Amino acid sequence: MKIDNISKFLHFSIVALLFLIPTIVFTVTPSLFFPYITGKNFEFRFLVEIAFVLWLILLFLDKNYVPKFSPSIIAVSIFIFIIFLADIFGVNPYKSFWSNFERMEGFVTIFHLFAYLLMWISIFKKESLQIWFFRFSLAISFIVANYGLSQSVFSKVSRVDVFLGNPIYFAVYILFHIFIAGILFTRKEATKNEKIILGALIAVEIPALYLTASRGAIIGFILGLFVVGLGVMFTSEKQKQKKIARIITYGILAIVTLFVLLINTNFVKNSHVLNRFATISFTNGTVAARTYVWKTSVFG
């Protein structure tokens, strides 16, 4: 078999493995500890490790796949090296490296993520392949979001979590995909039909995000949308884009103002989601705990 044919086979195999990664969200393993977490992480590591071995062989055969180290990649590499040193000289190097079954983080996961990043920028050099990867991931997220909506309707849960087992995890997952859909929507190359599909996807995923009642993710979505709106207002040269940005920005301000005015009404108190925002306290509960952790991480 010629070298070119071997390279093409390896390239196709790595692409297939990387395309499987967005499907990990469906993995639930009742037979393992923390069934919503451990199975997904083991599958992610398994896929990355197989792809990484094939990628190393591909690098040996074809130097064109050697990733170019941009300033951002160099910054990430330095960050990971610092984390590695911190884990070695930390209080518990074993836990720092392996973490635990509940979190499945640690340096071992960080290294797998870094390997995934290197392979991604090496294999997905063509923009068309990148777009199709994101389209596939969005299609998966659309299924997951619809399942979340059905969970709210039929299971009557107070906060949807779907295949993630935690409303916060599900909220962050949906949050990323909403903005990915928004980026693809604003591409010059996006066709009318594609924009309709992406608009429908966003219209489904925003309610799914709301039903998680995850305050951090929802606030992040609102602030992110507000910042994007301001950026477009002051930088775009197209009047249509500026007009849409104004509508979004002023709409967010109006919604926040309306919420503040209605914060003590029965309408807010009787809504599980809105009431969670109305009862945010910086001195009690999870917000206070997180604030304490942030202060500790910054000031020691």
Side-chain angles (χ1 to χ4, degrees), residues 6-18 20 46-62 65 115 119 122-123:
I6 296 175
S7 297
K8 288 179 181 179
F9 174 76
L10 290 172
H11 178 270
F12 177 81
S13 300
I14 297 168
V15 168
L17 289 168
L18 295 183
L20 283 175
F46 182 67
L47 291 172
V48 168
E49 287 164 6
I50 295 176
F52 191 69
V53 172
L54 298 178
W55 182 65
L56 291 178
I57 298 172
L58 182 60
L59 293 184
F60 179 76
L61 296 177
D62 192 340
Y65 287 97
M119 288 188 291
S122 168
I123 298 298

Side-chain angles (χ1 to χ4, degrees), residues 258-279:
L258 185 63
F259 174 76
V260 172
L261 294 174
L262 299 176
I263 197 168
N264 293 318
T265 64
N266 290 330
F267 175 77
V268 172
K269 292 179 180 179
N270 293 333
S271 170
H272 174 70
V273 178
L274 296 178
N275 190 51
R276 279 177 55 81
F277 284 91
T279 55

Side-chain angles (χ1 to χ4, degrees), residues 24 27 29 32-44:
I24 291 174
T27 300
T29 49
L32 299 179
F33 286 117
F34 304 101
Y36 293 100
I37 299 172
T38 48
K40 289 181 177 64
N41 277 273
F42 286 136
E43 185 177 351
F44 173 73

Side-chain angles (χ1 to χ4, degrees), residues 53-289:
V53 172
L54 298 178
W55 182 65
L56 291 178
I57 298 172
L58 182 60
L59 293 184
F60 179 76
L61 296 177
D62 192 340
K63 302 303 180 183
N64 290 322
Y65 287 97
V66 175
K68 295 180 180 180
F69 283 84
S70 63
S72 58
I73 297 299
I74 293 174
V76 171
S77 303
I78 293 172
F79 170 77
I80 291 176
F81 179 68
I82 293 171
I83 292 294
F84 177 69
L85 293 178
D87 288 348
I88 290 177
F89 298 105
V91 175
N92 192 331
Y94 180 84
K95 284 288 186 182
S96 295
F97 186 85
W98 292 108
S99 187
N100 54 40
F101 287 119
E102 183 179 6
R103 296 297 181 183
M104 293 290 286
E105 293 175 340
F107 188 79
V108 64
T109 295
I110 292 175
F111 179 78
H112 279 79
L113 289 169
F114 184 56
Y116 175 48
L117 173 64
L118 292 178
M119 288 188 291
W120 208 96
I121 62 176
S122 168
I123 298 298
F124 293 150
K125 288 183 177 180
K126 293 183 179 180
E127 185 179 359
S128 59
L129 192 56
Q130 298 174 16
I131 297 301
W132 275 110
F133 178 85
F134 287 125
R135 285 172 178 168
F136 180 69
S137 187
L138 286 170
I140 298 295
S141 74
F142 182 73
I143 297 172
V144 175
N146 275 284
Y147 190 88
L149 295 178
S150 66
Q151 185 184 34
S152 175
V153 173
F154 298 109
S155 300
K156 303 296 182 181
V157 295
S158 58
R159 302 177 65 189
V160 298
D161 54 11
V162 197
F163 307 104
L164 282 302
N166 187 317
I168 298 175
Y169 298 164
F170 178 48
V172 174
Y173 172 81
I174 290 296
L175 180 63
F176 269 95
H177 283 88
I178 289 174
F179 280 101
I180 290 172
I183 292 171
L184 294 187
F185 185 93
T186 56
R187 289 172 62 244
K188 293 180 180 180
E189 297 81 4
T191 63
K192 183 178 180 180
N193 289 337
E194 184 177 6
K195 289 186 176 183
I196 292 173
I197 294 172
L198 290 170
L201 184 143
I202 293 172
V204 169
E205 296 201 339
I206 289 178
L209 174 64
Y210 176 81
L211 291 172
T212 65
S214 177
R215 293 174 293 192
I218 294 174
I219 291 174
F221 169 69
I222 294 172
L223 288 177
L225 202 59
F226 184 74
V227 170
V228 170
L230 285 178
V232 173
M233 282 174 58
F234 290 106
T235 61
S236 179
E237 297 178 355
K238 296 182 179 180
Q239 292 301 318
K240 185 177 181 180
Q241 289 183 353
K242 285 189 173 184
K243 184 178 180 180
I244 295 173
R246 286 194 205 96
I247 294 173
I248 292 174
T249 305
Y250 295 150
I252 291 173
L253 290 174
I255 291 172
V256 172
T257 302
L258 185 63
F259 174 76
V260 172
L261 294 174
L262 299 176
I263 197 168
N264 293 318
T265 64
N266 290 330
F267 175 77
V268 172
K269 292 179 180 179
N270 293 333
S271 170
H272 174 70
V273 178
L274 296 178
N275 190 51
R276 279 177 55 81
F277 284 91
T279 55
I280 290 177
S281 171
F282 289 97
T283 56
N284 296 300
T286 58
V287 176

